[in-house]
Amino acid sequence: MTEFELIRTFFASPPLARADVAVPVGDDAAAVDVPAGMQAVLTTDVLVAGVHFFEDVDPAALGHKALAVNLSDLAAMGAEPAWFLLDLTLPRVDTAWLAAFAQGMYALARRHEVQLIGGDTSRGPLAIAVTAVGLVPRGAALRRAGARPGDGVYVTGTLGDAAFALAERTGTPRCTAAERALLDERLERPTPRVVEGLALRGVASSAIDVSDGLLADLGHVLAASGVGARLRLEAIPLSAVYRRHLHEIGWEAALAGGDDYELCFTVPAANEAALAALAAERGLAVTRIGEITAGEELAIYDETGRRYEPARRGHEHFR
Ligand code: ADP
Ligand code: MG
């Protein structure tokens, strides 16, 4: 199969055709309509075999994740996803692998009505880069620099399951097959919090997605905003599986583990009732874990009021 046939077979007719795509896959570049009064929000993320995923991972899960991590960045900006581009370097053309990869990617794309509009394909070590584009009303993007003392600190979903899944693979602690399946799902098929991100427009004062661990990512918000935070350890939301194994795994995976793709955001006191109402009405899982403070410290206290010192603060690629 030539490069051209490969593109035609798997990527030239995505399952969704948006009315705002003027020039789809097949030309030198794509063209799209940005509605008046809206801004395009652009993000890209690369996944490299051996660094971000195991080479033998389920290709459908990989297709899902390559798009999901980008939709997560758009969600953190409060942007509605619209289009994406896909750059692939492949060591060989494996049509079964590509079909599964495309299926996983398109299933998520359909769910969020986001259309593949272009990309590039080359031979090389296995790596996948997705560039996603979303839309926000002009000036409405959620930023990292907006947190103010007194704001509540919140997260969506539960934290630490992906890091727990990795720890479990290397042997500790031991889980049942059903528990492992739940954890692997969280690691390999993260749910981008697109609905939550859109709901936070006009409500949150800052937002970020948790890809490198809560403390590291909240740390970016604090640095950008010039503030500190006080967190309640026991308020950090955990899945039922994580909670069952908390005595073995401890809080580290939830505080500093990567790959959660939940949102961490801050809400001014005046908006907290509105957030609670919105969450109840739309069935959104959001948990208040602390508040923003003056100063620059990120401090965690346990239920006895004692200061908790985490062993490490997050994932760093070049450490
Ligand atoms: P060019 O040489 O002009 O860069 P290519 O031959 O690389 O064009 O690509 C032809 C068309 O196929 C372009 O519209 C490009 O966006 C699209 N394309 C190439 N690879 C991919 C891919 N992996 N996914 C989606 N579209 C792709
Ligand atoms: Mg090209």
Side-chain angles (χ1 to χ4, degrees):
M1 186 178 262
T2 66
E3 178 192 332
F4 179 68
E5 287 166 342
L6 183 158
I7 294 167
R8 205 183 39 211
T9 307
F10 296 106
F11 304 119
S13 8
L16 182 101
R18 290 172 59 106
D20 54 13
V21 176
V23 180
V25 170
D27 221 304
D28 291 308
V32 296
D33 299 323
V34 176
M38 302 294 274
Q39 289 176 322
V41 176
L42 300 92
T43 185
T44 191
D45 249 306
V46 66
L47 298 180
V48 178
V51 178
H52 300 96
F53 61 91
F54 301 107
E55 192 121 10
D56 63 353
V57 73
D58 170 10
L62 189 59
H64 171 101
K65 188 160 178 176
L67 179 57
V69 299
N70 282 276
L71 298 187
S72 176
D73 279 319
L74 291 183
M77 300 296 288
E80 180 166 10
W83 316 288
F84 69 105
L85 299 111
L86 169 69
D87 297 333
L88 272 178
T89 61
L90 302 168
R92 71 198 76 81
V93 175
D94 176 340
T95 53
W97 190 95
L98 276 162
F101 175 85
Q103 177 271 318
M105 184 180 70
Y106 286 141
L108 183 64
R110 257 194 308 267
R111 207 169 308 147
H112 294 286
E113 292 182 40
V114 49
Q115 183 177 339
L116 179 63
I117 55 169
D120 200 14
T121 308
S122 168
R123 191 173 295 277
L126 181 59
I128 302 135
V130 168
T131 301
V133 187
L135 296 168
V136 290
R138 176 160 296 135
L142 300 172
R143 309 282 307 272
R144 296 179 177 187
R148 296 289 172 263
D151 290 0
V153 179
Y154 290 80
V155 292
T156 61
T158 62
L159 295 177
D161 294 322
F164 186 0
L166 279 178
E168 207 273 338
R169 281 173 193 197
T170 56
T172 42
R174 285 257 164 264
C175 290
T176 66
E179 288 177 331
R180 183 174 314 135
L182 281 168
L183 293 172
D184 282 350
E185 183 78 4
R186 293 276 289 158
L187 175 67
E188 293 184 351
R189 291 179 187 267
T191 304
R193 301 301 185 186
V194 173
V195 176
E196 290 80 353
L198 289 177
L200 293 177
R201 273 187 202 161
V203 174
S205 50
S206 74
I208 192 166
D209 72 323
V210 181
S211 54
D212 293 332
L214 173 67
L215 299 183
D217 289 314
L218 176 57
H220 296 317
V221 167
L222 302 183
S225 302
V227 294
R230 182 175 49 229
L231 304 184
R232 279 204 312 121
L233 184 65
E234 286 81 7
I236 306 228
L238 304 175
S239 67
V241 179
Y242 195 118
R243 193 163 288 286
R244 270 201 296 281
H245 291 276
L246 179 60
H247 62 285
E248 301 157 90
I249 190 167
W251 287 96
E252 290 306 311
L255 291 170
D259 266 5
D260 286 319
Y261 300 103
E262 297 294 348
L263 300 181
C264 176
F265 57 97
T266 59
V267 179
N271 291 350
E272 290 192 270
L275 173 72
L278 207 67
E281 177 194 310
R282 303 192 192 170
L284 309 178
V286 298
T287 305
R288 193 181 199 278
I289 60 169
E291 20 334 282
I292 296 294
T293 55
E296 291 174 354
E297 203 177 43
L298 173 45
I300 310 169
Y301 294 90
D302 69 17
E303 60 195 343
T304 70
R306 256 207 310 270
R307 181 81 181 258
Y308 176 87
E309 276 307 329
R312 64 194 175 90
R313 287 193 170 241
H315 182 73
E316 250 265 40
H317 279 287
F318 291 102
R319 193 166 52 196

PDB file of all heavy atoms in Angstrom, residues 231-236 243 246 251 300-308:
ATOM      1  N   LEU A 231      -4.898  22.800  50.184  1.00  0.00           N
ATOM      2  CA  LEU A 231      -5.747  21.673  49.795  1.00  0.00           C
ATOM      3  C   LEU A 231      -6.041  20.800  51.010  1.00  0.00           C
ATOM      4  O   LEU A 231      -5.226  20.693  51.928  1.00  0.00           O
ATOM      5  CB  LEU A 231      -5.064  20.817  48.723  1.00  0.00           C
ATOM      6  CG  LEU A 231      -4.625  21.503  47.432  1.00  0.00           C
ATOM      7  CD1 LEU A 231      -4.065  20.477  46.456  1.00  0.00           C
ATOM      8  CD2 LEU A 231      -5.778  22.277  46.793  1.00  0.00           C
ATOM      9  N   ARG A 232      -7.205  20.143  50.992  1.00  0.00           N
ATOM     10  CA  ARG A 232      -7.550  19.142  52.004  1.00  0.00           C
ATOM     11  C   ARG A 232      -7.296  17.769  51.407  1.00  0.00           C
ATOM     12  O   ARG A 232      -7.952  17.382  50.427  1.00  0.00           O
ATOM     13  CB  ARG A 232      -9.020  19.275  52.395  1.00  0.00           C
ATOM     14  CG  ARG A 232      -9.277  20.385  53.424  1.00  0.00           C
ATOM     15  CD  ARG A 232     -10.553  20.136  54.209  1.00  0.00           C
ATOM     16  NE  ARG A 232     -11.680  19.791  53.352  1.00  0.00           N
ATOM     17  CZ  ARG A 232     -12.352  18.654  53.451  1.00  0.00           C
ATOM     18  NH1 ARG A 232     -12.028  17.748  54.342  1.00  0.00           N
ATOM     19  NH2 ARG A 232     -13.358  18.411  52.630  1.00  0.00           N
ATOM     20  N   LEU A 233      -6.358  17.036  51.970  1.00  0.00           N
ATOM     21  CA  LEU A 233      -5.959  15.747  51.417  1.00  0.00           C
ATOM     22  C   LEU A 233      -7.153  14.824  51.203  1.00  0.00           C
ATOM     23  O   LEU A 233      -7.335  14.269  50.116  1.00  0.00           O
ATOM     24  CB  LEU A 233      -4.944  15.084  52.364  1.00  0.00           C
ATOM     25  CG  LEU A 233      -4.341  13.772  51.885  1.00  0.00           C
ATOM     26  CD1 LEU A 233      -3.500  13.993  50.628  1.00  0.00           C
ATOM     27  CD2 LEU A 233      -3.501  13.122  52.974  1.00  0.00           C
ATOM     28  N   GLU A 234      -7.972  14.665  52.231  1.00  0.00           N
ATOM     29  CA  GLU A 234      -9.071  13.699  52.153  1.00  0.00           C
ATOM     30  C   GLU A 234     -10.184  14.144  51.198  1.00  0.00           C
ATOM     31  O   GLU A 234     -11.077  13.361  50.889  1.00  0.00           O
ATOM     32  CB  GLU A 234      -9.648  13.410  53.544  1.00  0.00           C
ATOM     33  CG  GLU A 234      -8.748  12.528  54.417  1.00  0.00           C
ATOM     34  CD  GLU A 234      -7.621  13.301  55.099  1.00  0.00           C
ATOM     35  OE1 GLU A 234      -7.612  14.554  54.997  1.00  0.00           O
ATOM     36  OE2 GLU A 234      -6.748  12.662  55.711  1.00  0.00           O
ATOM     37  N   ALA A 235     -10.128  15.387  50.747  1.00  0.00           N
ATOM     38  CA  ALA A 235     -11.150  15.855  49.798  1.00  0.00           C
ATOM     39  C   ALA A 235     -10.829  15.431  48.371  1.00  0.00           C
ATOM     40  O   ALA A 235     -11.691  15.480  47.490  1.00  0.00           O
ATOM     41  CB  ALA A 235     -11.260  17.372  49.866  1.00  0.00           C
ATOM     42  N   ILE A 236      -9.578  15.002  48.120  1.00  0.00           N
ATOM     43  CA  ILE A 236      -9.187  14.622  46.752  1.00  0.00           C
ATOM     44  C   ILE A 236     -10.032  13.426  46.308  1.00  0.00           C
ATOM     45  O   ILE A 236     -10.044  12.396  46.983  1.00  0.00           O
ATOM     46  CB  ILE A 236      -7.693  14.271  46.709  1.00  0.00           C
ATOM     47  CG1 ILE A 236      -6.961  15.457  47.298  1.00  0.00           C
ATOM     48  CG2 ILE A 236      -7.243  13.830  45.314  1.00  0.00           C
ATOM     49  CD1 ILE A 236      -5.841  16.049  46.691  1.00  0.00           C
ATOM     50  N   ARG A 243      -9.683   3.817  46.194  1.00  0.00           N
ATOM     51  CA  ARG A 243      -9.969   3.932  47.621  1.00  0.00           C
ATOM     52  C   ARG A 243      -9.758   2.584  48.327  1.00  0.00           C
ATOM     53  O   ARG A 243      -9.218   2.542  49.427  1.00  0.00           O
ATOM     54  CB  ARG A 243     -11.403   4.440  47.825  1.00  0.00           C
ATOM     55  CG  ARG A 243     -11.717   4.891  49.235  1.00  0.00           C
ATOM     56  CD  ARG A 243     -12.965   5.748  49.308  1.00  0.00           C
ATOM     57  NE  ARG A 243     -12.793   7.080  48.761  1.00  0.00           N
ATOM     58  CZ  ARG A 243     -12.120   8.068  49.369  1.00  0.00           C
ATOM     59  NH1 ARG A 243     -11.566   7.870  50.542  1.00  0.00           N
ATOM     60  NH2 ARG A 243     -11.999   9.242  48.796  1.00  0.00           N
ATOM     61  N   LEU A 246      -6.079   2.265  48.856  1.00  0.00           N
ATOM     62  CA  LEU A 246      -5.401   3.466  49.352  1.00  0.00           C
ATOM     63  C   LEU A 246      -4.327   3.126  50.388  1.00  0.00           C
ATOM     64  O   LEU A 246      -3.242   3.715  50.385  1.00  0.00           O
ATOM     65  CB  LEU A 246      -6.438   4.441  49.935  1.00  0.00           C
ATOM     66  CG  LEU A 246      -5.909   5.752  50.529  1.00  0.00           C
ATOM     67  CD1 LEU A 246      -5.162   6.567  49.477  1.00  0.00           C
ATOM     68  CD2 LEU A 246      -7.064   6.588  51.093  1.00  0.00           C
ATOM     69  N   TRP A 251      -1.327   8.214  48.768  1.00  0.00           N
ATOM     70  CA  TRP A 251      -1.911   9.350  48.042  1.00  0.00           C
ATOM     71  C   TRP A 251      -1.069   9.789  46.854  1.00  0.00           C
ATOM     72  O   TRP A 251      -1.490  10.640  46.060  1.00  0.00           O
ATOM     73  CB  TRP A 251      -2.076  10.531  49.004  1.00  0.00           C
ATOM     74  CG  TRP A 251      -3.188  10.339  49.983  1.00  0.00           C
ATOM     75  CD1 TRP A 251      -3.090   9.873  51.274  1.00  0.00           C
ATOM     76  CD2 TRP A 251      -4.586  10.584  49.757  1.00  0.00           C
ATOM     77  NE1 TRP A 251      -4.327   9.813  51.851  1.00  0.00           N
ATOM     78  CE2 TRP A 251      -5.272  10.252  50.947  1.00  0.00           C
ATOM     79  CE3 TRP A 251      -5.322  11.056  48.657  1.00  0.00           C
ATOM     80  CZ2 TRP A 251      -6.653  10.370  51.069  1.00  0.00           C
ATOM     81  CZ3 TRP A 251      -6.689  11.179  48.784  1.00  0.00           C
ATOM     82  CH2 TRP A 251      -7.350  10.834  49.981  1.00  0.00           C
ATOM     83  N   ILE A 300      -0.773  21.243  51.710  1.00  0.00           N
ATOM     84  CA  ILE A 300      -1.808  20.210  51.844  1.00  0.00           C
ATOM     85  C   ILE A 300      -1.927  19.856  53.321  1.00  0.00           C
ATOM     86  O   ILE A 300      -0.907  19.657  53.996  1.00  0.00           O
ATOM     87  CB  ILE A 300      -1.424  18.937  51.059  1.00  0.00           C
ATOM     88  CG1 ILE A 300      -1.014  19.295  49.628  1.00  0.00           C
ATOM     89  CG2 ILE A 300      -2.566  17.935  51.057  1.00  0.00           C
ATOM     90  CD1 ILE A 300      -0.367  18.156  48.881  1.00  0.00           C
ATOM     91  N   TYR A 301      -3.168  19.782  53.807  1.00  0.00           N
ATOM     92  CA  TYR A 301      -3.406  19.419  55.208  1.00  0.00           C
ATOM     93  C   TYR A 301      -4.259  18.170  55.261  1.00  0.00           C
ATOM     94  O   TYR A 301      -5.171  17.991  54.452  1.00  0.00           O
ATOM     95  CB  TYR A 301      -4.107  20.564  55.947  1.00  0.00           C
ATOM     96  CG  TYR A 301      -3.217  21.781  56.062  1.00  0.00           C
ATOM     97  CD1 TYR A 301      -3.228  22.755  55.070  1.00  0.00           C
ATOM     98  CD2 TYR A 301      -2.339  21.926  57.132  1.00  0.00           C
ATOM     99  CE1 TYR A 301      -2.388  23.854  55.148  1.00  0.00           C
ATOM    100  CE2 TYR A 301      -1.497  23.027  57.227  1.00  0.00           C
ATOM    101  CZ  TYR A 301      -1.523  23.987  56.227  1.00  0.00           C
ATOM    102  OH  TYR A 301      -0.690  25.074  56.305  1.00  0.00           O
ATOM    103  N   ASP A 302      -3.966  17.268  56.221  1.00  0.00           N
ATOM    104  CA  ASP A 302      -4.810  16.078  56.377  1.00  0.00           C
ATOM    105  C   ASP A 302      -5.928  16.376  57.365  1.00  0.00           C
ATOM    106  O   ASP A 302      -6.018  17.477  57.905  1.00  0.00           O
ATOM    107  CB  ASP A 302      -3.976  14.853  56.770  1.00  0.00           C
ATOM    108  CG  ASP A 302      -3.410  14.932  58.173  1.00  0.00           C
ATOM    109  OD1 ASP A 302      -3.896  15.760  58.968  1.00  0.00           O
ATOM    110  OD2 ASP A 302      -2.473  14.164  58.469  1.00  0.00           O
ATOM    111  N   GLU A 303      -6.775  15.372  57.602  1.00  0.00           N
ATOM    112  CA  GLU A 303      -7.996  15.645  58.383  1.00  0.00           C
ATOM    113  C   GLU A 303      -7.698  15.983  59.844  1.00  0.00           C
ATOM    114  O   GLU A 303      -8.539  16.545  60.535  1.00  0.00           O
ATOM    115  CB  GLU A 303      -8.966  14.451  58.295  1.00  0.00           C
ATOM    116  CG  GLU A 303      -8.386  13.158  58.822  1.00  0.00           C
ATOM    117  CD  GLU A 303      -9.203  11.943  58.385  1.00  0.00           C
ATOM    118  OE1 GLU A 303     -10.350  12.127  57.959  1.00  0.00           O
ATOM    119  OE2 GLU A 303      -8.678  10.831  58.487  1.00  0.00           O
ATOM    120  N   THR A 304      -6.494  15.657  60.320  1.00  0.00           N
ATOM    121  CA  THR A 304      -6.148  16.020  61.696  1.00  0.00           C
ATOM    122  C   THR A 304      -5.592  17.445  61.754  1.00  0.00           C
ATOM    123  O   THR A 304      -5.241  17.926  62.827  1.00  0.00           O
ATOM    124  CB  THR A 304      -5.091  15.058  62.269  1.00  0.00           C
ATOM    125  OG1 THR A 304      -3.838  15.297  61.595  1.00  0.00           O
ATOM    126  CG2 THR A 304      -5.487  13.596  62.085  1.00  0.00           C
ATOM    127  N   GLY A 305      -5.487  18.085  60.582  1.00  0.00           N
ATOM    128  CA  GLY A 305      -4.977  19.465  60.561  1.00  0.00           C
ATOM    129  C   GLY A 305      -3.468  19.536  60.405  1.00  0.00           C
ATOM    130  O   GLY A 305      -2.876  20.608  60.401  1.00  0.00           O
ATOM    131  N   ARG A 306      -2.829  18.351  60.262  1.00  0.00           N
ATOM    132  CA  ARG A 306      -1.380  18.333  60.090  1.00  0.00           C
ATOM    133  C   ARG A 306      -0.989  18.554  58.643  1.00  0.00           C
ATOM    134  O   ARG A 306      -1.684  18.106  57.728  1.00  0.00           O
ATOM    135  CB  ARG A 306      -0.815  16.986  60.567  1.00  0.00           C
ATOM    136  CG  ARG A 306      -0.115  17.077  61.928  1.00  0.00           C
ATOM    137  CD  ARG A 306       0.959  16.022  62.090  1.00  0.00           C
ATOM    138  NE  ARG A 306       0.468  14.693  61.754  1.00  0.00           N
ATOM    139  CZ  ARG A 306      -0.090  13.853  62.649  1.00  0.00           C
ATOM    140  NH1 ARG A 306      -0.225  14.216  63.883  1.00  0.00           N
ATOM    141  NH2 ARG A 306      -0.485  12.664  62.265  1.00  0.00           N
ATOM    142  N   ARG A 307       0.127  19.211  58.439  1.00  0.00           N
ATOM    143  CA  ARG A 307       0.655  19.461  57.099  1.00  0.00           C
ATOM    144  C   ARG A 307       1.119  18.129  56.496  1.00  0.00           C
ATOM    145  O   ARG A 307       1.808  17.352  57.143  1.00  0.00           O
ATOM    146  CB  ARG A 307       1.822  20.444  57.229  1.00  0.00           C
ATOM    147  CG  ARG A 307       2.485  20.836  55.944  1.00  0.00           C
ATOM    148  CD  ARG A 307       1.694  21.912  55.228  1.00  0.00           C
ATOM    149  NE  ARG A 307       2.375  22.222  53.987  1.00  0.00           N
ATOM    150  CZ  ARG A 307       3.136  23.294  53.805  1.00  0.00           C
ATOM    151  NH1 ARG A 307       3.282  24.181  54.772  1.00  0.00           N
ATOM    152  NH2 ARG A 307       3.735  23.492  52.641  1.00  0.00           N
ATOM    153  N   TYR A 308       0.716  17.868  55.249  1.00  0.00           N
ATOM    154  CA  TYR A 308       1.108  16.640  54.556  1.00  0.00           C
ATOM    155  C   TYR A 308       2.166  16.994  53.517  1.00  0.00           C
ATOM    156  O   TYR A 308       1.963  17.880  52.688  1.00  0.00           O
ATOM    157  CB  TYR A 308      -0.117  16.020  53.869  1.00  0.00           C
ATOM    158  CG  TYR A 308       0.197  14.803  53.039  1.00  0.00           C
ATOM    159  CD1 TYR A 308       0.234  13.536  53.606  1.00  0.00           C
ATOM    160  CD2 TYR A 308       0.464  14.938  51.672  1.00  0.00           C
ATOM    161  CE1 TYR A 308       0.529  12.418  52.833  1.00  0.00           C
ATOM    162  CE2 TYR A 308       0.765  13.824  50.894  1.00  0.00           C
ATOM    163  CZ  TYR A 308       0.795  12.573  51.485  1.00  0.00           C
ATOM    164  OH  TYR A 308       1.090  11.475  50.722  1.00  0.00           O
TER     165      TYR A 308
END
